[in-house]
Amino acid sequence: MQGKKQFTDQLVTHFRLSERVPTHNFYRRLDALLDLGFLYEATQGLYSHTGQPSLDPVVFFKLVLIGYLENITSDRRLLEHCAMRLDLLYFLGYELDEALPWHSTVSRTRQLYPAALFEQLFDRVFSLCVQHGLVAGDTQTVDSALVKANASLDSLCEKQPVQAVWPTLTIVGSTPKTPATPHPASIRSAPAHQLRYEAARQAKRQQEPGSLGATRPQARLLSNKTHYSPTDPEARISIKPGKARALNYLCSLVVDTAQGVISHVQANLADSRDSLHLPRIVQHLQQRLTANDLQLRDLVADTGYSNGFNYALLENSGVTPWIPVFGAYKPIVEGFTYHARVDEYRCRADKPLPFRKYRSTADGNWMKHYRAFYQDCQHCPFKASCVPYADHKQLNRSAFDAAYHRAWHRQRSRQGQHMRRVRQRTIEPVFGNLLHHYGLRRINVRGQAGAHKCMLLAAVAYNLKKLLRHQPKLQLGMARVLPLLPPAPPFMLRCRQRHRRNRTKALRNLAGSNGR
């Protein structure tokens, strides 16, 4: 007979949540592994001794970790999802008939807690990974990726000159005064001369034939120097090859090459270069590794981190930088010979170009200026082909040219090619997982500090899942000492030798008969 289930909504009187969640459940094992008791003492100073009880700090961090583990970026959806899962309720410590906190409470608590508290949680989880043997520490890979901010390009506004940001206060019977504190709109302003320069440059680009402005007059030329987002003023306009222009943040990530554990993460402004953030990344990374009795020896990165100061900083710290130099670098100046003892170049006519002074470029890099003597170039037979339109020859080389040269040789070695493949197979899959499966496709908060918190939580969730999936290989070994055999008597040794000779002679006779 066909059965048919009838549902009757009854009041359950005898129910134990721990009996409904199996022992092999992910969140049950995570609850047994992760101890968040330190949060009570760390957040004690953020609350008053009076008033209504707040959201439990441990419950808050468990909630946001569930959001990144389940790839849910909305606080509303997160609480609805937790209310329907028995294992999540058990992980949070809530009963079936107990109401979860409001989504606005979660949002306000996220803004209340400082970023240092999130970093402390990341350090705890990283230490757990080190204790379980998932981190080697000697080789680290660095890379960065753009993460969408919680703002749209449609809401961009033009920046105002600085003079319009400081209004004067006119009071009857008194002289005009300026406010003692900066106006909040100062972050949305720019120098007047910079705005005029950008306006002239954009007008010139729009008038060029074949440009976007000529084909589409209604198109806007957006720049971080002329526009800002009132929704998130710290978000920056950036573009990546093959993708549309958007308001983004820059996620800088460091991954250990042993098991792919994230060892450092930070949020930076999207309009800054990768190489500018490497000193801060290395400083925090070395502090974290030193706290766990690990030592950094090799750092692998792409060309975006190529910088003479970075090379010198890593080498002075005892770290080998496996960072390819940018394509414009030339290890040898054609037609000139460098003499390191006197720090000068010599041209084809064997005339010296001594070092004159240091110069700084617009990017903040230091250059060494070499210049020949005026008399040597005026009577040189190669002047027409060397410096036809100048009085004397000049050369500008990086102040860290020796470090550049060593990096150039490293990247062409066999180990340098191996390190390049190690970086590709280590950190690029981690970025893919964070962007597609751990809620980093788009930041759901505003501000650089909020973006930093989100990236830290995503990295913590990634490391926790890798830690729970790790199954160390247990090797059972047993050693047994056997007694030494007594030496064979002489007559037995003679018998063995005679048997070996007879066997060899028989094999030779057999081989000869087969040949005939």
Side-chain angles (χ1 to χ4, degrees):
M1 184 178 67
Q2 183 183 17
K4 186 175 182 181
K5 178 71 174 63
Q6 298 293 336
F7 172 73
T8 304
D9 194 5
Q10 297 179 355
L11 179 64
V12 180
T13 57
H14 300 285
F15 183 86
R16 190 182 295 273
L17 192 59
S18 59
E19 296 177 356
R20 298 293 178 176
V21 181
T23 56
H24 63 272
N25 179 265
F26 175 82
Y27 288 98
R28 184 155 190 167
R29 293 188 293 122
L30 179 59
D31 187 47
L33 174 68
L34 188 61
D35 183 15
L36 300 178
F38 71 96
L39 294 172
Y40 294 112
E41 183 179 357
T43 58
Q44 185 68 34
L46 301 175
Y47 297 99
S48 174
H49 64 281
T50 61
Q52 295 293 331
S54 67
L55 175 63
D56 192 326
V58 175
V59 174
F60 165 75
F61 276 97
K62 286 184 177 181
L63 269 173
V64 292
L65 281 178
I66 290 173
Y68 288 98
L69 288 169
E70 300 289 332
N71 198 14
I72 301 175
T73 58
S74 172
D75 293 338
R76 295 175 184 264
R77 286 187 52 209
L78 173 61
L79 294 172
E80 293 176 359
H81 184 74
C82 292
M84 295 184 296
R85 291 269 299 270
L86 297 181
D87 56 344
L88 297 183
L89 290 176
Y90 179 80
F91 179 64
L92 295 173
Y94 276 74
E95 298 292 343
L96 285 177
D97 56 348
E98 193 174 0
L100 292 172
W102 288 91
H103 63 87
S104 59
T105 306
V106 178
S107 178
R108 289 195 301 267
T109 307
R110 184 188 291 109
Q111 298 175 7
L112 171 66
Y113 290 160
L117 186 61
F118 294 78
E119 293 177 357
Q120 189 175 355
L121 174 61
F122 178 83
D123 292 338
R124 292 282 184 126
V125 175
F126 182 77
S127 299
L128 286 176
C129 296
V130 174
Q131 294 173 10
H132 286 76
L134 272 72
V135 181
D138 55 346
T139 306
Q140 304 286 330
T141 59
V142 186
D143 203 355
S144 60
L146 296 175
V147 181
K148 291 183 180 180
N150 192 10
S152 174
L153 289 177
D154 298 334
S155 63
L156 291 180
C157 299
E158 292 187 5
K159 290 184 177 181
Q160 302 299 324
V162 176
Q163 292 81 357
V165 179
W166 296 86
T168 58
L169 302 179
T170 305
I171 303 176
V172 178
S174 62
T175 57
K177 298 180 180 180
T178 56
T181 57
H183 196 272
S186 60
I187 195 174
R188 309 165 189 171
S189 64
H193 71 278
Q194 189 178 31
L195 295 178
R196 290 194 300 268
Y197 172 78
E198 289 296 326
R201 186 177 66 86
Q202 292 181 8
K204 182 179 179 180
R205 289 185 59 185
Q206 287 183 344
Q207 295 176 359
E208 293 179 355
S211 63
L212 182 62
T215 56
R216 296 175 57 187
Q218 72 277 9
R220 293 193 305 169
L221 296 179
L222 305 177
S223 172
N224 291 313
K225 298 179 181 179
T226 58
H227 292 79
Y228 75 97
S229 172
T231 306
D232 188 356
E234 293 184 337
R236 295 292 185 266
I237 306 171
S238 61
I239 185 172
K240 193 173 183 179
K243 295 186 178 180
R245 183 173 301 185
L247 289 168
N248 299 318
Y249 283 100
L250 186 68
C251 177
S252 299
L253 197 69
V254 183
V255 179
D256 186 80
T257 57
Q259 296 291 337
V261 173
I262 300 176
S263 52
H264 182 72
V265 62
Q266 68 182 36
N268 303 311
L269 299 180
D271 60 343
S272 57
R273 294 188 176 182
D274 297 342
S275 57
L276 299 178
H277 307 296
L278 189 62
R280 181 187 169 198
I281 292 173
V282 173
Q283 178 184 1
H284 290 284
L285 177 62
Q286 287 185 329
Q287 292 176 357
R288 184 171 291 114
L289 293 177
T290 304
N292 291 276
D293 298 329
L294 299 175
Q295 184 179 2
L296 177 63
R297 292 188 177 90
D298 299 293
L299 188 73
V300 191
D302 57 4
T303 316
Y305 294 89
S306 175
N307 189 313
F309 177 78
N310 293 339
Y311 289 137
L313 174 66
L314 292 173
E315 290 178 354
N316 292 336
S317 303
V319 181
T320 304
W322 298 96
I323 306 175
V325 298
F326 55 88
Y329 173 75
K330 296 181 180 179
I332 300 176
V333 183
E334 187 177 356
F336 294 86
T337 306
Y338 179 69
H339 297 271
R341 186 175 60 85
V342 293
D343 193 12
E344 68 176 15
Y345 282 89
R346 285 191 170 269
C347 63
R348 290 179 293 176
D350 201 23
K351 300 297 182 181
L353 279 77
F355 167 71
R356 299 291 184 174
K357 60 182 179 180
Y358 287 99
R359 287 181 175 179
S360 61
T361 62
D363 300 334
N365 298 324
W366 285 93
M367 306 294 292
K368 298 180 71 173
H369 180 66
Y370 298 87
R371 186 176 71 246
F373 294 99
Y374 176 82
Q375 298 82 0
D376 294 340
C377 289
Q378 292 301 317
H379 302 89
C380 181
F382 303 102
K383 185 179 185 304
S385 59
C386 184
V387 280
Y389 304 106
D391 295 334
H392 48 271
K393 181 64 178 178
Q394 302 181 27
L395 288 178
N396 290 319
R397 300 291 291 177
S398 173
F400 306 97
D401 190 67
Y404 268 115
H405 199 71
R406 289 190 292 269
W408 184 80
H409 280 287
R410 276 195 300 268
Q411 77 181 40
R412 279 161 175 76
S413 63
R414 179 174 296 180
Q415 190 176 2
Q417 299 297 324
H418 170 70
M419 287 295 185
R420 179 180 61 84
R421 293 189 294 269
V422 167
R423 186 196 68 83
Q424 291 177 351
R425 69 170 180 257
T426 300
I427 196 168
E428 292 183 1
V430 176
F431 260 124
N433 287 325
L434 291 179
L435 295 177
H436 297 287
H437 305 292
Y438 289 88
L440 276 192
R441 180 179 291 273
R442 183 185 181 94
I443 299 295
N444 63 339
V445 296
R446 295 168 183 172
Q448 184 179 1
H452 183 52
K453 297 175 186 178
C454 292
M455 295 175 186
L456 284 170
L457 288 173
V460 168
Y462 181 86
N463 287 345
L464 285 175
K465 185 172 288 188
K466 184 171 285 292
L467 179 60
L468 288 177
R469 289 180 176 178
H470 176 64
Q471 297 180 356
K473 297 181 180 179
L474 300 178
Q475 297 181 357
L476 299 178
M478 181 178 63
R480 183 178 179 182
V481 179
L482 297 177
L484 295 177
L485 296 177
F491 74 92
M492 187 174 293
L493 293 178
R494 289 194 296 269
C495 293
R496 289 178 182 175
Q497 294 176 358
R498 189 181 308 108
H499 176 70
R500 192 178 297 112
R501 287 195 300 267
N502 295 337
R503 183 181 177 183
T504 304
K505 187 181 299 183
L507 291 175
R508 287 178 180 175
N509 296 335
L510 180 62
S513 62
N514 292 336
R516 289 193 298 269

